[in-house]
Each structure stands twice: as C-alpha cells, then as structure tokens.
Amino acid sequence: MADRDRTFAKFTFFKLDPAWQRRDPEARGEDKREFLAACDDFAQDRSLRAYSTVGTRGDTDLMLLSQSPVLEDIHTFHVVLSQSGLARWMAIPHSYLAMTKRSPYSDSKPRPEICTSDRRYLFVYPFDKKREWYRLPATERQRIMADHIAIGRRYPEIAINTAYSFGLDDQEFVVSFEADDPGEFLDLVQELRGSESSSYTLRDTPIFTCVSMPTARALDALDGEATAARTPVPS
C-alpha cells in the first residue's frame, strides 16, 4: 500500500544516439510523439517534470523526474516509455531511485512531492556520506547539520530537496536544488565546501545542470524541430 507521507522519486537521464538526428523528420516527429504520449499519460494524475541537459552535459540530453507514492507506477511508466520509437534510440547512462521522508535534522514535514517550483534550473547529484558520520553521537550530527542548514538559509532563492535511497539504490541520497541563478548555486556549493559537514562527504558527483521546460520542448531540443501534432487526413 502507498504511504501518502512518502513519495518515490525517479531521476532518469537519457542519452540520444546521434544517428537518430539523421532520420527523416517525419519519423523523428512520430518518435517524439510516442514518447510524449507516454509522458502525458503518466502525468495525468502523477508528477512528471522534464529537463533538458543539451549543452550542459556531454553524457546526457534529457532528464525526467517521475514521482508517485506507488513504486509500480514508476515501473509501468518506464516499461511503456521504452516501447516508444524515441526510446529505442536512447541509452540511460544515469538513473537514481529515491524516496521522500522526514529529515532527522529538521522539524519540517516530508513533502508529498519534490522539485515543484517554477525555477529555471535544477542541479542534481547523488550523495554518500562516510561511514564515520553514522558513528557520531546524534547530538554531534545535529550540531554539524545545524551549521550546514544555516549556510543554506543564506541563499533563500534556492530550494533544496533531499530524497533518500538507503536500500533502494546505490547512493544514500539524491540531492536536487532548484534555482533561477546558476551563479548563486555555485556560491552556495563553494561555501558549503568549507563547512564541517563537508569533511564527512564520500561522494557528491556526477553533478547535473538541468534546464526546466515542458516535456514537448525538451524533446524538441533533441533535434531542434517542433513536435507538431499529426493532422488527421479527411476521409
């Protein structure tokens, strides 16, 4: 049964085979329409956000963030998505599964969804802490995280999302930051490097700079041509 206080979040990064761009424009358009139809169907009653990584990463072109309190929903969505024409020309070089839950260092309630703002950019990375961190007394971890949180609050225009992956995927967390100004995010990350909490970081790469946009527009960025709906031919 679904826990409405927790939500599964799947960050799926796609890399397009360059040979697809040499296909006939009509065939490319049909491929994109099939892919978009699968996305639109999932998004009818669940959260789906699309981001382009064209020009910001060399190993990915598109990221989809799909969310549901039911894990089978995400499974079914990716099964359907894989049957589209476009997906046959794509690889998935990076994929992260996580779940929302209440932070042990904050009084805030867990959010039913993450990454819900209208900010232009999303910065995403998997995150692992050193095992020494978990052996610290709870009071010591709380003290260190209080300083970490205080730094984040000095950047109120940046929304921070933390999802948990313990036992679900290889990483321990997936961290995502919503922002309108990449420079502010750069300054935040640089300041965090000097914090005490940073000394307990084991891994925080790869980092993805993602441009938020409607799914159709993110697909159009793959070949620079708009996905026009097919006009029915009169009988």
Side-chain angles (χ1 to χ4, degrees):
M1 295 180 63
D3 184 346
R4 293 295 173 178
D5 290 332
R6 294 189 180 188
T7 301
F8 291 98
K10 176 68 185 304
F11 300 78
T12 309
F13 292 85
F14 299 89
K15 179 60 180 177
L16 184 67
D17 184 341
W20 177 82
Q21 296 174 320
R22 297 191 291 272
R23 297 192 78 203
D24 179 86
E26 184 175 346
R28 295 200 310 270
E30 182 60 25
D31 288 345
K32 290 193 290 183
R33 283 189 289 270
E34 291 178 2
F35 193 97
L36 181 61
C39 292
D40 288 346
D41 181 67
F42 179 86
Q44 285 185 11
D45 54 4
R46 286 150 296 204
S47 176
L48 180 70
R49 301 292 296 266
Y51 303 84
S52 179
T53 56
V54 173
T56 66
R57 290 283 303 194
D59 55 349
T60 71
D61 298 303
L62 172 71
M63 192 272 279
L64 294 181
L65 169 55
S66 51
Q67 300 183 69
S68 174
V70 180
L71 184 57
E72 284 78 5
D73 288 351
I74 294 176
H75 163 74
T76 300
F77 169 55
H78 285 80
V79 169
V80 174
L81 202 63
S82 68
Q83 297 170 357
S84 68
L86 183 59
R88 299 188 183 107
W89 295 84
M90 286 176 156
I92 300 178
H94 305 281
S95 173
Y96 306 108
L97 178 65
M99 194 176 198
T100 62
K101 67 184 294 287
R102 184 172 181 172
S103 169
Y105 309 110
S106 172
D107 293 332
S108 300
K109 294 181 179 180
R111 285 172 285 176
E113 293 179 9
I114 59 174
C115 305
T116 58
S117 79
D118 293 327
R119 292 176 174 88
R120 296 176 62 190
Y121 302 102
L122 185 71
F123 304 92
V124 180
Y125 56 86
F127 185 77
D128 293 291
K129 285 185 172 292
K130 296 178 181 178
R131 292 300 173 91
E132 290 86 350
W133 169 258
Y134 300 102
R135 292 198 292 269
L136 292 175
T139 54
E140 183 68 359
R141 282 185 274 129
Q142 184 68 58
R143 179 190 67 79
I144 294 171
M145 285 304 299
D147 177 63
H148 179 94
I149 292 170
I151 293 174
R153 287 176 176 167
R154 291 202 284 271
Y155 297 83
E157 296 304 314
I158 299 176
I160 303 172
N161 304 276
T162 301
Y164 299 77
S165 298
F166 294 96
L168 300 180
D169 207 339
D170 293 347
Q171 69 284 341
E172 294 174 351
F173 310 89
V174 181
V175 188
S176 48
F177 299 79
E178 300 162 89
D180 283 322
D181 184 351
E184 284 190 346
F185 180 68
L186 184 152
D187 293 340
L188 168 61
V189 174
Q190 185 174 6
E191 186 170 355
L192 285 172
R193 287 292 189 271
S195 68
E196 187 175 359
S197 63
S198 181
S199 64
Y200 291 96
T201 297
L202 178 64
R203 176 177 71 130
D204 57 2
T205 58
I207 297 176
F208 303 88
T209 296
C210 309
V211 185
S212 178
M213 58 185 65
T215 306
R217 185 179 166 198
L219 295 178
D220 292 343
L222 299 175
D223 63 353
E225 294 194 18
T227 307
R230 175 173 290 174
T231 303
V233 177
S235 57

